[in-house]
Amino acid sequence: MFAEQLRCATDVTGQVDLVKLGEFVSAVYEAGDRDRQRMIEVRSQTRDEVEQNLLRTREFLDTIENIPIAVFAKCAKDSRYILLNRAGEDYYGMPREQMLGERPNRSSRPTWPAWFTSRIDAS
């Protein structure tokens, strides 16, 4: 980049016009500053969007937590429980720490309602 600026600032006799060279160098620095400023703005917008998404997710999870009926979610890949609300803890009679990450299986059968375990056998 500097070689190109030097070539542009050199006249036919081989003399370097320092004023022209200074203008070229300044223009490159200004362009770099504009690029850096744009990147800072993009990062700031991205951070704001992430913060807004996080806030929406927290509000959604707070809503799920406070619904008075049992709500749970399982991972589609391996059927492990990934979410259980407070009413679900009461319904299943076990704390979520004990249930999250587990699959409904024979070892947990005594605590599961009969209608639920019959569906497991059918699948």
Side-chain angles (χ1 to χ4, degrees), residues 7-91:
R7 187 183 64 73
C8 290
T10 305
D11 64 16
V12 292
T13 64
Q15 295 293 321
V16 175
D17 183 343
L18 294 179
V19 173
K20 264 189 183 177
L21 182 59
E23 290 171 356
F24 289 137
V25 169
S26 292
V28 169
Y29 278 117
E30 288 173 10
D33 286 343
R34 283 191 302 273
D35 289 344
R36 279 189 291 280
Q37 186 60 38
R38 272 190 235 118
M39 288 302 298
I40 289 169
E41 290 170 2
V42 166
R43 287 180 184 154
S44 176
Q45 289 172 349
T46 302
R47 186 181 63 239
D48 291 345
E49 290 171 7
V50 167
E51 287 174 355
Q52 288 175 356
N53 288 339
L54 180 60
L55 180 61
R56 277 190 230 115
T57 301
R58 284 183 179 158
E59 289 172 350
F60 172 74
L61 290 174
D62 286 345
T63 301
I64 296 296
E65 180 64 20
N66 293 308
I67 291 176
I69 58 172
V71 176
F72 66 89
K74 294 193 305 184
C75 176
K77 180 179 169 186
D78 60 7
S79 296
R80 293 184 188 278
Y81 290 95
I82 58 174
L83 180 129
L84 179 69
N85 69 348
R86 190 176 306 129
E89 286 181 299
D90 294 340
Y91 181 78

Side-chain angles (χ1 to χ4, degrees), residues 97-108:
E97 292 80 17
Q98 185 179 349
M99 196 168 159
L100 294 179
E102 298 295 326
R103 288 187 218 145
N105 58 32
R106 295 191 188 282
S107 66
S108 62

